[in-house]
Amino acid sequence: MDNLNALINPNSIAIFGASSNLNKISGRPLRYLKEFDYQGEIYPINPKYDEIAGIKCYPSLAAVGKPIDLAIVGVAAQYVVEAIKDCAQHGVRSALIFSSGFAEIGEEGIKLQDAIKEIIQTTGMRVCGPNCIGFTNLSKRLPGTFSSVVERIKDDIPGNLGFITQSGAFGVMIYALARESGSFFKYFINTGNEVDVDLADCLDYMVKDTDIKVIGGYCEGIRNTDKFLQAAEAAEKAKKPVAILKVGKSAVGALAASKHTGSVVGSDQIYAAVFKQKGIAQAENLDELLDILTIAAKEKYPAGNRVAIVTISGGAGILISDVCDEAGLKVPPLTGRTYERIAELIPYFGSAMNPVDVTADLINNHDSLEECLNLLVEDESIDSVLIFISLFDHVAEVLVDIIDKVNKKTQKPVVVAWSAAKSGIIPKLINLGVPAYPDGGRAAKALAAMNFFAEGFRRRDADELDQEKNLVGTKVREVMEYINSIKAKGIMALSHNEARELLGYYNLSLEKNEQISPSHKNKKWPVEYVIKMQQDPTFGPVIVFGIGSLLEGRFEELALRLPPLSQNDAYELLKDIKAPEIKAAVMKDSYGLVDILVRVSELCNDLKGELAQLRITILGEPENMKIKGSTLILNNAVSS
């Protein structure tokens, strides 16, 4: 965490090119620092002035003569390199570069950005930007930005959220909208072109901050995948949910991202799989991201995926049930005392099943809502409660008080969908600690995100206890010696016998005969499972699991993950399969497949720089799966 402290938590700040016009971009940082009553030292740098806004101004860094944690640089692009050199020469520990005109504009800008990178590499100074809007640290009363969004947050108390964005303007829009929806940040950081400090650095910093409980992000592409994956794993281990809006899915979007911040955009399918594997909720749009942040900030995680829906409209209950089902949530029927008592409380024309339809009689008998809700949160067969209301302006405050009272008594998530709500009702609920949304579908998806996080935390705990996580225990040096002995012969494509020997290091048994017996072709389900490794330009080796038909000669990619896989990872990969007939067969064979997937993933991880291509084919026979064939092709270079 100390690595970024000088940048994000500085005790002294120099402002290059500070302007006496406090409304200009070069004048705003000083203005905002004064308005926020930042308690650190401030050193405006501009030879034109003796003082600005009552603060002594210096002609140069050398004239300051004191240690400086952070330099804010907002001069024109052609002067930035010299400014960073000046910072390095005078021991400035970090820099924030607002200036644009670097990698995002093409070749000339790339040269300038590379020059900054060289300075960083030789000095160890941390640099955020260029082409960024800056950051805020509310616990430090530090608005390190020129964005006017900070004019809205001057009186805010630091929240438990941290937000990282690779886009400045879009990021501050998210900041403003999140605040309006009741989500309050401690940190907001725009990384811009990421010449040095990147999304992964900031994620790691926030994971280590005990004040931060939830982390959100806007991502165009990931530069340092190893660091990102380590930080994501640390977040899940610390039970800190991470939600990211990943853009650049389309060809047009990917091109726009490259021009915007110079980001390299990888396959969206692989990003989605990686995020899922590492416990990151991938928001489909801006509303979904804000919805997830709203509910996650309340820190109530369901024990399972069973939801009780309470509604004033049968139709709304059906719609919400559909969304729950699509999102992996169950809406189980109520039984026993819960069902019987609710049936007594509601009109005969309502429904005590699930969804619970209390009908519009709630207008006359709103007191019965409290008992219904208490019954549901106390029911051990229910993990969370979703309440749907529309209008009801005349009793809105009464209903809010009832919901608040029930919510404060339970650790189960209680979520409200209030369509056409009276002005101020949804923000009031959120401020009381109740996640609230204007639409039932959005509320259901937000609950599904909390279930996703909770399941991920439980899996991570299980993996920590699972001593078989590294069950292969292969001696990598022996494997590398074997690989190099093959390469020394000029062999890149392993023969069947060579592949058998390599796989044997991982206790994988390849059949001597690769031919499929005719008897197998007469079976009702003549399939082969296929495990492939493909190289992704962003994440490196990726495990792809698919299913092929021996009769039709086809192969369908079904699911993927990054190696190495834990047993939980492998099982979740298999669960990603959608086609019911195929999924039934795969889950029947899951025990054997999980074992093979884990071992193959260990091989791919150990040899990530050596394998150009891998394909393992497995005959799908219940309780007797056999590796029938393999293709293993090596890279050219001999490793040391």
Side-chain angles (χ1 to χ4, degrees):
M1 192 166 175
D2 292 343
N3 192 249
L4 289 187
N5 255 341
L7 173 70
I8 299 173
N9 198 33
N11 291 317
S12 54
I13 301 174
I15 306 172
F16 270 81
S19 172
S20 61
N21 184 342
L22 300 185
N23 291 317
K24 292 178 65 176
I25 287 178
S26 54
R28 285 185 180 183
L30 178 57
R31 170 188 155 197
Y32 293 149
L33 287 168
K34 284 175 61 66
E35 290 179 355
F36 273 66
D37 194 26
Y38 168 68
Q39 293 300 298
E41 299 295 328
I42 305 173
Y43 305 112
I45 308 294
N46 195 325
K48 294 181 182 179
Y49 309 106
D50 292 328
E51 72 169 43
I52 300 176
I55 297 177
K56 181 179 179 180
C57 190
Y58 297 84
S60 64
L61 273 180
V64 174
K66 296 178 182 178
I68 295 172
D69 287 335
L70 170 65
I72 295 177
V73 180
V75 298
Q78 62 267 34
Y79 304 119
V80 169
V81 175
E82 285 304 313
I84 297 301
K85 282 182 181 177
D86 196 18
C87 289
Q89 289 169 0
H90 290 91
V92 176
R93 296 174 64 198
S94 68
L96 172 65
I97 305 176
F98 293 154
S99 317
S100 300
F102 293 88
E104 78 277 8
I105 68 166
E107 187 175 344
E108 289 303 312
I110 290 172
K111 289 179 181 177
L112 287 175
Q113 191 162 308
D114 285 346
I116 296 172
K117 189 179 294 185
E118 285 184 22
I119 298 169
I120 294 167
Q121 290 172 343
T122 56
T123 64
M125 180 171 60
R126 300 311 308 263
V127 175
C128 184
N131 185 31
C132 81
I133 211 163
F135 69 92
T136 62
N137 176 353
L138 276 187
S139 65
K140 189 78 170 181
R141 302 296 299 163
L142 171 53
T145 179
F146 60 85
S147 171
S148 61
V149 74
V150 298
E151 295 174 25
R152 300 187 183 186
I153 66 171
K154 279 185 284 190
D155 299 323
D156 287 359
I157 296 172
N160 62 356
L161 297 174
F163 194 83
I164 312 156
T165 174
Q166 292 175 326
S167 170
F170 195 74
V172 295
M173 181 191 75
I174 294 173
Y175 195 169
L177 290 172
R179 183 176 177 275
E180 288 177 10
S181 67
S183 298
F184 294 92
F185 296 169
K186 175 180 178 178
Y187 299 123
F188 167 89
I189 304 174
N190 171 219
T191 55
N193 286 14
E194 299 185 345
V195 66
D196 173 35
V197 175
D198 60 13
L199 187 150
D201 284 311
C202 297
L203 178 59
D204 178 68
Y205 186 88
M206 293 181 189
V207 169
K208 293 173 181 175
D209 188 321
T210 55
D211 292 338
I212 295 297
K213 307 300 181 185
V214 182
I215 302 167
Y218 166 95
C219 174
E220 296 175 1
I222 296 171
R223 286 175 166 81
N224 190 326
T225 53
D226 287 344
K227 186 163 51 178
F228 174 81
L229 295 173
Q230 289 170 7
E233 289 175 0
E236 193 170 42
K237 186 176 180 180
K239 294 181 171 54
K240 295 189 179 187
V242 180
I244 291 179
L245 176 60
K246 170 69 177 69
V247 299
K249 297 179 182 181
S250 66
V252 174
L255 179 61
S258 68
K259 290 182 177 294
H260 182 212
T261 60
S263 294
V264 177
V265 182
S267 161
D268 182 60
Q269 185 183 8
I270 292 175
Y271 266 96
V274 170
F275 283 8
K276 185 172 184 179
Q277 183 178 352
K278 300 304 177 183
I280 298 170
Q282 183 174 2
E284 290 299 314
N285 51 54
L286 178 54
D287 282 341
E288 192 170 314
L289 176 65
L290 295 171
D291 292 348
I292 295 171
L293 296 180
T294 297
I295 193 170
K298 308 309 178 190
E299 300 183 69
K300 285 188 175 183
Y301 298 97
N305 65 347
R306 301 164 300 179
V307 182
I309 301 169
V310 180
T311 175
I312 63 164
S313 161
I318 296 168
L319 178 61
I320 295 169
S321 297
D322 288 344
V323 177
C324 285
D325 183 67
E326 291 171 3
L329 300 176
K330 293 180 179 179
V331 184
L334 301 179
T335 59
R337 176 177 174 272
T338 303
Y339 172 81
E340 292 167 1
R341 181 58 185 145
I342 290 177
E344 294 171 357
L345 290 168
I346 64 175
Y348 71 91
F349 48 86
S351 173
M353 299 293 290
N354 191 11
V356 176
D357 184 2
V358 296
T359 78
D361 185 63
L362 191 63
I363 295 172
N364 301 320
N365 191 22
H366 46 258
D367 289 341
S368 63
L369 177 64
E370 183 174 350
E371 188 171 351
C372 282
L373 294 178
N374 281 327
L375 285 164
L376 292 170
V377 297
E378 291 167 6
D379 192 322
E380 293 183 358
S381 68
I382 296 298
D383 301 308
S384 56
V385 177
L386 192 160
I387 307 161
F388 175 83
I389 304 170
S390 66
L391 299 170
F392 278 52
D393 293 1
H394 56 296
V395 291
E397 300 294 342
V398 175
L399 297 181
V400 166
D401 288 343
I402 290 170
I403 294 167
D404 177 43
K405 186 177 178 182
V406 173
N407 182 60
K408 281 183 167 59
K409 291 192 298 185
T410 181
Q411 284 304 305
K412 294 180 180 180
V414 176
V415 178
V416 174
W418 201 317
S419 294
K422 178 182 174 182
S423 177
I425 287 296
I426 288 179
K428 182 174 182 178
L429 281 164
I430 293 171
N431 289 333
L432 287 169
V434 182
Y437 306 95
D439 173 76
R442 287 172 61 178
K445 288 182 178 179
L447 262 182
M450 289 303 280
N451 184 61
F452 169 78
F453 291 134
E455 286 184 344
F457 297 158
R458 289 191 288 269
R459 282 197 304 273
R460 180 64 57 184
D461 288 343
D463 282 345
E464 291 293 316
L465 295 172
D466 183 6
Q467 297 302 312
E468 293 185 340
K469 171 99 174 177
N470 298 309
L471 64 102
V472 177
T474 304
K475 296 179 180 178
V476 178
R477 179 173 293 183
E478 291 181 17
V479 174
M480 292 307 304
E481 289 175 355
Y482 178 66
I483 291 293
N484 282 331
S485 70
I486 294 174
K487 285 185 175 183
K489 301 173 186 176
I491 297 171
M492 295 298 113
L494 273 65
S495 68
H496 186 71
N497 287 336
E498 288 164 340
R500 285 188 71 212
E501 186 168 348
L502 176 60
L503 294 174
Y505 282 103
Y506 296 85
N507 293 327
L508 291 165
S509 179
L510 176 61
E511 293 283 283
K512 292 183 179 180
N513 185 1
E514 290 192 70
Q515 299 299 314
I516 305 300
S517 68
S519 63
H520 291 139
K521 297 185 180 182
N522 296 323
K523 291 190 175 183
K524 184 179 179 181
W525 186 249
V527 297
E528 59 181 7
Y529 298 119
V530 180
I531 302 172
K532 296 199 304 181
M533 184 211 72
Q534 68 182 53
Q535 289 288 345
D536 178 72
T538 301
F539 291 101
V542 177
I543 299 292
V544 182
F545 174 80
I547 201 161
S549 169
L550 301 179
L551 297 180
E552 299 174 15
R554 62 180 172 82
F555 172 71
E556 183 180 358
E557 293 184 1
L558 297 172
L560 44 86
R561 291 290 190 276
L562 296 185
L565 302 178
S566 68
Q567 291 188 327
N568 274 323
D569 288 335
Y571 187 72
E572 289 298 314
L573 180 152
L574 298 178
K575 284 171 62 178
D576 278 355
I577 296 163
K578 303 300 181 188
E581 185 182 9
I582 296 175
K583 187 166 187 172
V586 169
M587 299 316 291
K588 187 176 182 180
D589 294 336
S590 62
Y591 181 82
L593 287 173
V594 163
D595 183 67
I596 294 173
L597 277 164
V598 169
R599 295 176 187 279
V600 171
S601 78
E602 291 282 354
L603 184 155
C604 292
N605 190 61
D606 290 347
L607 303 181
K608 64 175 62 175
E610 305 301 323
L611 280 177
Q613 184 180 335
L614 173 144
R615 178 185 172 112
I616 303 289
T617 57
I618 307 156
L619 189 67
E621 295 181 306
E623 300 179 5
N624 188 28
M625 285 181 295
K626 298 177 180 178
I627 300 177
K628 303 298 294 187
S630 68
T631 301
L632 291 114
I633 300 177
L634 306 176
N635 289 319
N636 289 323
V638 175
S639 301
S640 55

